Amino acid sequence: MALFWAELKRSWTEFIRYPAEAVGGVVIITIVFYGLFLSARYMAGPAIQFGDRLDIVVVGYVLWTLTLFTINDISLTLQAEAQTGTLEQIFLSPYGPFRVFLTRALAGLTIRITLISVILGILIGVTGSSLQFPPLLVLPLVSTLMAGYGLAFMMGSCALLFKRVQQLLGLFQFGLLFVLALPVETWSGPWSLVGWLLPMLPSAGLLRDL
């Protein structure tokens, strides 16, 4: 807990020191989604009604944004620590690197959840979506975050091995957007087994159902 509170204070200090970056991130993420939403509605025609699919798209996009925050928090932090020369200090600390970076990610998550809530509220307002939030939502959300942290540590390992992974992260982010948009809950036969084995897809499907 002492390590968590220290990392939470560190994350909050960095957040309030660069508020323009946080606000800019919220604005960009919202504009990108709204642009995609308007484009889809324009191509489908004025008489189209999205219905429940609009809610599914909003949930998928917010999940993608939350996962990106999770992955970037660990992988880019590892790369920055390596470039500034402080990575050795973390590896030599009594907590160990895994515990330090995991605690740092969890501390950052408390701030990211607030940003995600703001983004979700804006998306609901501009699209007219009618999402519900039952208490059972916590279970698949936690499993999604656990899978996201697993992928984040994998990308962090790549950052330590290859030093610069910005292009790899960009490719991974768009691939992740495609994967999270797949309606795995509607698959049947052998494809349903494939869907259950892919990371985060089962949890994303449960979140869309709820």
Side-chain angles (χ1 to χ4, degrees):
M1 289 304 297
L3 178 62
F4 175 79
W5 286 114
E7 290 294 343
L8 183 60
K9 182 179 179 180
R10 172 184 174 276
S11 299
W12 176 249
T13 302
E14 289 184 348
F15 178 76
I16 61 177
R17 183 170 296 176
Y18 307 104
E21 183 177 358
V23 174
V26 172
V27 172
I28 290 173
I29 290 172
T30 305
I31 290 176
V32 168
F33 178 84
Y34 194 56
L36 294 173
F37 171 73
L38 291 179
S39 300
R41 192 164 63 176
Y42 174 77
M43 289 186 294
I48 190 67
Q49 297 293 330
F50 288 100
D52 293 339
R53 292 185 178 181
L54 176 60
D55 301 335
I56 291 175
V57 172
V58 171
V59 169
Y61 188 79
V62 171
L63 274 180
W64 176 66
T65 305
L66 180 59
T67 305
L68 288 191
F69 282 157
T70 302
I71 293 174
N72 290 337
D73 274 346
I74 293 182
S75 57
L76 294 182
T77 299
L78 271 169
Q79 184 175 335
E81 296 281 358
Q83 291 175 348
T84 56
T86 54
L87 186 62
E88 292 81 1
Q89 299 178 13
I90 295 177
F91 272 82
L92 294 174
S93 71
Y95 295 103
F98 178 80
R99 188 179 299 178
V100 169
F101 284 113
L102 182 60
T103 307
R104 182 173 296 178
L106 292 175
L109 180 64
T110 58
I111 299 175
R112 299 299 189 185
I113 287 292
T114 304
L115 292 179
I116 289 294
S117 300
V118 173
I119 293 173
L120 181 59
I122 296 174
L123 294 183
I124 291 175
V126 298
T127 61
S129 175
S130 56
L131 291 175
Q132 304 295 324
F133 301 95
L136 285 176
L137 202 71
V138 175
L139 298 177
L141 180 61
V142 169
S143 62
T144 303
L145 289 174
M146 291 174 65
Y149 282 127
L151 293 174
F153 275 106
M154 182 184 72
M155 296 304 298
S157 301
C158 292
L160 291 180
L161 289 174
F162 305 118
K163 308 306 179 185
R164 293 184 178 272
V165 293
Q166 281 85 351
Q167 300 301 323
L168 181 61
L169 274 175
L171 180 63
F172 183 77
Q173 289 170 3
F174 284 106
L176 193 63
L177 175 61
F178 173 75
V179 169
L180 286 177
L182 292 175
V184 64
E185 63 272 15
T186 63
W187 292 357
S188 60
W191 286 106
S192 62
L193 179 60
V194 174
W196 282 107
L197 293 177
L198 290 174
M200 288 189 291
L201 281 190
S203 300
L206 287 173
L207 281 171
R208 285 192 290 264
D209 287 341
L210 288 172

